[in-house]
Amino acid sequence: MLSRVANSVYWMCRYIERAENVARFIGVNLNLLLDLPLDASLQWSPMIATTGDQKQFEESYSEYSYENVLRFLTFDRQYQNSIISCLQFARENARSVREIISSEMWEQLNRFYIDLKEAEHSSFAQNDPHKFFLMIKMRGHMFSGLLYSTMSHGEPWHFARMGLMVERADKISRILDVKYYTLLPVGDYIGSAYDNIQWAAVLKSASAHDMYRKRFHRITPKHVADFLIFDAEFPRSIRHCVATAFDSLHKITGSPYGSALNRAEKCLGRLMADMNYADIEDVMELGMHEYLDSLQVRMNEVGQEISSTFFKLTPAVTNGLSQQ
Amino acid sequence: MDFTNYQLDNFYDELFESLGKPRPGSKLLIERLESLSGESILAKQKAAETMLLQMGITFAVYGNEEGAEKIFPFDIIPRIIDGAEWDRIEAGLKQRIFALNAFIDDIYNGRRIVKDRVIPEDVILSSKTYRKECEGFSPPHNIWCHVTGTDLVRDSDGTYYVLEDNLRCPSGVSYVLENRQILKRTFPQVFEASNVRAVDDYPNLLLDILEYLAPESVSAPTIGVLTPGTYNSAYFEHSFLARQMGVELLEGQDLIVHNGFIHMQTTKGLQQVDVLYRRIDDDFIDPLAFRPDSMLGVPGLMEIYKSGKLAMANAPGTGVADDKVIYAYVPKIIKYYTGEEPILPNVPTYVCAEQKERAYVLENLDKLVVKAANESGGYGMLVGPHASQAERKKFAQLIRENPRNYMAQPTLALSRVPSLIEDTIEGRHVDLRPYILYGKEIYVLPGGLTRVALRKGSLVVNSSQGGGSKDTWVVDRPE
């Protein structure tokens, strides 16, 4: 398939997944809000901290209020990772590959964007944020459902799935990190009921609460991290995402597992091997935030290698009038 | 909704013979419209617009930072053409396109028509769209204009005239196909009972032609639609056609010349491309051959094309035959290559390069429509009766400075079709662009794109100037 098309399909999915996950971040905090003791005020700055875009936020907004954070992450077109910006990019990419994706996918994404643009001018998001962000999450689910069930599982589809998985792995690590940045009201809340409530909120925003309960029954920070990082079966765990991306990558190149034809396979293969042979004890030893941070750096590298392997093919011959 | 206040205003009406009397093919539709309440007609119109928006059938509006898009305005009341009448139009278009193709082939190879003094050589050589690069070249099967969109208009006495031939990259056929999908859902019973000729075969036929052009040595040719990219106003159509034919949608940046062939850059390296349906104008297609500042094309493409290792539709160089001054010679061209009288007449045309005709034009600017030889989309045009004194003065000056570049025609009283205007039905002027495909045979898509000037009294149907579109039904009446 065309390099340009592969690039667009890949980024279309990354942007949709990114938009969905911004909604999930906000969902974590909204869930916390429901469960906090009355006298504690909710912090909104951690939301921005996990994105790594504090500087950009502070350039446009004076305080970390609920309204400002919500506007920045949802409707701010100056901010390239806001939900509306992500959807706009996803849609532009989709538009350039309409002949590759199914009409169902295009129409759903198009409608998603049009509806969001309308919501921009209403007070829907402010007045009923739970419903609003749930809607965004469900639209994201619907898109990945359409991707799975209406598009042939050939090379373009594997690029799409790989984009989805690389993005999801990165964002799950950031959702876990929200908890790291969220300060508890008083030091001895750690390990208390409130602490557990917060961890439950993290699970909920990763759509992981029910599946987690089946495996670990009780909520403990260590188990939550274990589940979201290492669980082999849960489709949003980081390891699962990395393994799925790895599978798509090998379907694209046709090279067998265990061998690497290019730098993308090497880089992603190493990351997967490391995750296969690490466990939660290693994470605790290193420190969870540090571990997640290094994962994010490595996911970034994977993204760069995918891009230079497939999207920026420099042709062997560049002179237009070569040998005939 | 009733037609009691509907007026014909002395124009030819495509759906009514006279007040209150629908033409035979339109009877079912008019009855249906009369049986519906105003509200439910408006609801149908709204539903059609929503469908277009949701399907993303839009064109970009420039200069808006949000990349705003608009749907091409669409009116749900179709234009209806009687089958027998259509058969005559079809025959006329086949004759015309056959002759124009023979003309293009001739002027690049020998110029027999000039030697026989049917058309002066300098009219051809001075055309901006004449391509010296094509001299001595013959495309596969000697076909140059594979896809044509000829604009027809109908005057108040009911005569169809050819207004212009679009032989380069005519657009709009995707609207024909999509409008049909929408109208089938808008008036399902009427549509079914009306015996409308189908248009759905177009992408298959286009693909047949593209395959027919492929070099014989290639058994399974790789075919692509070459687009300027997502910012082009017709991008939807390029993507639509690529999707319907299941071929690649390519941009210039995807293609390079390698080992004497055109290749596309894929995730697995280079892959040879054999046929391009290109939707980039000649000027921009190859910066080495034509405009060096073009970012859209492929350097070296023309050389590969001329070596026969790549086929293109339409062939570069076809534009010479839709020069608006050469247009004036088309009736003679038809007679010269077919030995027949033209079935479809031209609009009477005054060529400003001829002194006598120029004098007439300059004296009658307030009655005439003046057109520049190589503009399209309604630009470079003066509609005399509607223009200001200053505009007419400006055009008089332009004509004197560069007479070769202008021609003029009388203003025609374009026919009208009932159209939904706010909450009433009023007549609006229309033209008709049928699409003609030239492969093993010449095929004419039944109907084509009806463009409608939605502004009251306006005669300009271009989408860039407030025009919209309608579905066009060619209806066969039971014997």
Side-chain angles (χ1 to χ4, degrees):
Chain A
M1 68 186 296
L2 289 174
S3 299
R4 175 180 54 79
V5 167
N7 189 18
S8 297
V9 169
Y10 173 86
W11 279 103
M12 170 187 74
C13 283
R14 283 199 71 158
Y15 278 121
I16 296 243
E17 184 67 20
R18 191 170 292 178
E20 183 191 324
N21 278 294
V22 173
R24 288 174 184 277
F25 286 149
I26 301 171
V28 184
N29 246 27
L30 291 169
N31 276 329
L32 289 177
L33 184 72
L34 294 175
D35 294 325
L36 268 185
L38 284 173
D39 55 342
S41 71
L42 186 75
Q43 304 142 13
W44 284 94
S45 60
M47 300 287 317
I48 308 294
T50 39
T51 62
D53 296 319
Q54 296 101 317
K55 202 165 154 260
Q56 204 183 341
F57 180 87
E58 283 163 14
E59 277 166 12
S60 316
Y61 302 89
S62 54
E63 56 163 339
Y64 284 96
S65 66
Y66 166 61
E67 287 77 15
N68 286 348
V69 169
L70 206 67
R71 167 142 284 280
F72 181 67
L73 292 177
T74 312
F75 291 124
D76 192 335
R77 283 180 187 273
Q78 306 299 319
Y79 176 44
Q80 82 270 16
N81 290 324
S82 68
I83 293 176
I84 198 150
S85 297
C86 286
L87 272 172
Q88 189 193 332
F89 297 142
R91 180 165 170 270
E92 283 310 308
N93 277 301
R95 182 200 294 287
S96 71
V97 294
R98 278 187 67 175
E99 79 289 1
I100 300 289
I101 62 177
S102 66
S103 307
E104 284 86 349
M105 287 165 68
W106 160 253
E107 282 174 30
Q108 195 258 345
L109 174 51
N110 189 42
R111 194 177 304 184
F112 191 177
Y113 177 73
I114 292 169
D115 288 352
L116 195 67
K117 242 172 65 171
E118 275 167 19
E120 194 179 356
H121 304 293
S122 76
S123 45
F124 178 23
Q126 292 279 344
N127 294 346
D128 198 347
H130 287 278
K131 194 170 164 195
F132 178 76
F133 291 108
L134 181 66
M135 178 201 89
I136 291 185
K137 216 163 78 179
M138 293 315 289
R139 291 276 177 104
H141 282 310
M142 192 170 165
F143 185 82
S144 43
L146 287 170
L147 171 68
Y148 195 86
S149 57
T150 66
M151 185 172 167
S152 296
H153 293 192
E155 193 184 355
W157 185 79
H158 282 293
F159 271 104
R161 188 170 72 153
M162 190 162 67
L164 205 71
M165 289 300 149
V166 168
E167 185 67 27
R168 186 178 290 171
D170 178 78
K171 289 301 174 288
I172 291 290
S173 77
R174 289 174 197 270
I175 286 177
L176 258 174
D177 237 10
V178 176
K179 180 66 179 85
Y180 167 83
Y181 283 103
T182 307
L183 296 173
L184 288 164
V186 190
D188 49 294
Y189 270 82
I190 294 172
S192 71
Y194 290 125
D195 196 21
N196 287 345
I197 283 169
Q198 293 198 341
W199 283 108
V202 168
L203 283 172
K204 279 179 194 155
S205 51
S207 300
H209 188 252
D210 298 344
M211 296 302 125
Y212 171 88
R213 289 282 190 187
K214 285 189 197 308
R215 186 170 158 204
F216 289 112
H217 315 295
R218 278 180 199 81
I219 289 179
T220 69
K222 192 170 141 186
H223 283 156
V224 172
D226 190 3
F227 189 76
L228 288 180
I229 301 173
F230 291 114
D231 192 90
E233 290 165 354
F234 182 64
R236 306 191 82 83
S237 82
I238 298 174
R239 185 171 152 201
H240 189 93
C241 294
V242 167
T244 310
F246 181 81
D247 177 57
S248 277
L249 183 56
H250 279 268
K251 293 270 168 35
I252 289 164
T253 60
S255 67
Y257 280 27
S259 69
L261 287 180
N262 55 53
R263 292 189 54 83
E265 285 181 337
K266 227 175 185 171
C267 193
L268 188 57
R270 276 196 194 136
L271 177 59
M272 196 174 81
D274 280 354
M275 294 200 75
N276 282 343
Y277 296 103
D279 60 22
I280 192 66
E281 303 301 334
D282 301 329
V283 176
M284 297 319 240
E285 203 174 295
L286 186 65
M288 188 153 82
H289 173 66
E290 286 70 20
Y291 181 80
L292 292 174
D293 210 39
S294 79
L295 263 188
Q296 286 160 17
V297 169
R298 294 184 67 178
M299 293 307 301
N300 262 342
E301 281 168 13
V302 168
Q304 281 159 12
E305 294 300 347
I306 288 173
S307 158
S308 59
T309 303
F310 297 106
F311 308 148
K312 288 181 194 141
L313 283 182
T314 12
V317 178
T318 50
N319 180 359
L321 296 171
S322 58
Q323 61 281 47
Q324 293 241 344
Chain B
M1 190 172 263
D2 62 51
F3 283 84
T4 41
N5 292 323
Y6 186 71
Q7 295 298 325
L8 301 184
D9 301 324
N10 292 325
F11 291 106
Y12 186 95
D13 195 287
E14 300 284 349
L15 299 193
F16 285 95
E17 265 174 38
S18 57
L19 266 187
K21 187 168 181 236
R23 294 183 188 282
S26 314
K27 221 167 151 264
L28 287 173
L29 177 74
I30 301 295
E31 280 169 13
R32 176 70 181 140
L33 288 171
E34 283 174 330
S35 75
L36 288 165
S37 70
E39 257 170 37
S40 54
I41 289 181
L42 288 178
K44 279 176 184 293
Q45 173 70 28
K46 178 99 182 100
E49 286 170 5
T50 308
M51 225 185 296
L52 286 165
L53 185 65
Q54 286 180 351
M55 294 197 287
I57 304 179
T58 51
F59 62 92
V61 181
Y62 296 101
N64 184 312
E65 59 175 315
E66 276 176 34
E69 295 146 37
K70 278 168 62 177
I71 60 168
F72 184 27
F74 174 69
D75 185 86
I76 56 169
I77 303 177
R79 178 226 206 111
I80 293 177
I81 302 174
D82 183 72
E85 183 166 47
W86 176 257
D87 291 339
R88 216 189 117 260
I89 296 173
E90 188 179 303
L93 290 168
K94 284 182 175 170
Q95 179 198 47
R96 189 172 178 101
I97 297 307
F98 173 83
L100 285 172
N101 188 71
F103 169 69
I104 300 167
D105 201 47
D106 184 21
I107 60 166
Y108 290 119
N109 293 283
R111 253 172 248 158
R112 206 157 51 84
I113 193 167
V114 173
K115 290 175 189 133
D116 290 334
R117 295 172 188 279
V118 177
I119 180 166
E121 188 160 45
D122 68 295
V123 171
I124 292 168
L125 297 182
S126 63
S127 168
K128 275 191 208 157
T129 43
Y130 178 76
R131 300 280 173 232
K132 210 171 160 26
E133 294 79 359
C134 299
E135 286 175 5
F137 178 73
S138 287
H141 313 288
N142 297 79
I143 305 169
W144 295 75
C145 47
H146 309 89
V147 183
T148 308
T150 295
D151 288 342
L152 304 177
V153 291
R154 197 197 299 248
D155 199 9
S156 45
D157 66 357
T159 311
Y160 274 104
Y161 292 95
V162 176
L163 188 65
E164 59 188 54
D165 302 285
N166 298 288
L167 296 149
R168 287 172 278 182
C169 304
S171 64
V173 74
S174 58
Y175 295 116
V176 176
L177 304 182
E178 290 289 13
N179 287 354
R180 177 60 53 84
Q181 292 307 317
I182 286 169
L183 264 223
K184 273 185 191 169
R185 289 185 240 177
T186 307
F187 298 115
Q189 295 95 336
V190 181
F191 184 84
E192 214 188 315
S194 290
N195 207 7
V196 180
R197 291 194 198 172
V199 294
D200 317 67
D201 219 17
Y202 184 87
N204 287 339
L205 292 162
L206 180 58
L207 183 60
D208 286 347
I209 289 180
L210 298 173
E211 284 174 348
Y212 179 55
L213 299 182
E216 273 173 28
S217 56
V218 183
S219 58
T222 299
I223 297 171
V225 175
L226 180 61
T227 172
T230 50
Y231 295 104
N232 185 272
S233 59
Y235 178 75
F236 164 74
E237 176 157 308
H238 308 157
S239 144
F240 175 88
L241 290 173
R243 205 166 57 225
Q244 296 291 320
M245 294 189 287
V247 303
E248 303 287 342
L249 180 63
L250 300 163
E251 295 180 17
Q253 51 165 323
D254 297 326
L255 298 175
I256 62 158
V257 170
H258 178 56
N259 283 343
F261 286 90
I262 291 288
H263 287 82
M264 56 184 188
Q265 306 183 63
T266 77
T267 54
K268 298 200 166 90
L270 298 179
Q271 187 186 329
Q272 188 180 316
V273 177
D274 308 296
V275 185
L276 287 176
Y277 176 39
R278 50 96 181 204
R279 294 293 296 261
I280 299 179
D281 267 332
D282 287 358
D283 278 339
F284 296 96
I285 205 159
D286 178 354
L288 296 182
F290 304 115
R291 277 177 63 155
D293 60 334
S294 169
M295 307 290 287
L296 304 173
V298 186
L301 183 84
M302 271 306 279
E303 200 181 309
I304 305 303
Y305 169 71
K306 282 165 78 178
S307 78
K309 290 180 177 148
L310 170 79
M312 274 199 280
N314 288 355
T318 55
V320 65
D322 66 18
D323 181 294
K324 289 188 175 66
V325 172
I326 290 179
Y327 160 90
Y329 295 89
V330 174
K332 289 182 191 163
I333 290 173
I334 292 175
K335 197 147 186 215
Y336 182 74
Y337 292 105
T338 66
E340 300 163 6
E341 290 298 325
I343 300 172
L344 292 170
N346 261 12
V347 178
T349 301
Y350 305 96
V351 175
C352 295
E354 310 255 342
Q355 205 202 333
K356 252 171 78 184
E357 299 189 13
R358 178 168 67 244
Y360 176 83
V361 170
L362 289 170
E363 267 165 42
N364 293 283
L365 276 181
D366 57 334
K367 301 188 191 73
L368 298 170
V369 177
V370 182
K371 292 177 184 172
N374 290 298
E375 301 282 348
S376 61
Y379 297 103
M381 193 168 135
L382 176 86
V383 183
H386 296 211
S388 67
Q389 188 68 36
E391 284 168 313
R392 287 202 288 263
K393 223 174 138 186
K394 190 184 120 200
F395 260 77
Q397 176 78 8
L398 289 170
I399 292 170
R400 282 193 197 97
E401 281 168 11
N402 187 3
R404 163 63 181 85
N405 198 38
Y406 293 93
M407 60 85 144
Q409 294 167 336
T411 27
L412 299 179
L414 299 194
S415 64
R416 300 202 311 193
V417 181
S419 304
L420 199 55
I421 305 296
E422 286 167 17
D423 53 0
T424 60
I425 292 178
E426 293 178 18
R428 285 293 182 269
H429 297 292
V430 294
D431 78 351
L432 177 64
R433 176 179 288 183
Y435 294 86
I436 304 105
L437 294 176
Y438 198 148
K440 276 181 193 155
E441 287 158 11
I442 300 177
Y443 164 83
V444 184
L445 184 70
L449 184 65
T450 291
R451 297 186 298 174
V452 51
L454 290 165
R455 280 191 219 130
K456 198 178 178 93
S458 169
L459 295 169
V460 186
V461 295
N462 303 84
S463 55
S464 50
Q465 322 251 337
S469 78
K470 285 171 169 288
D471 193 13
T472 311
W473 293 1
V474 175
V475 167
D476 287 312
R477 274 181 284 152
E479 295 298 319

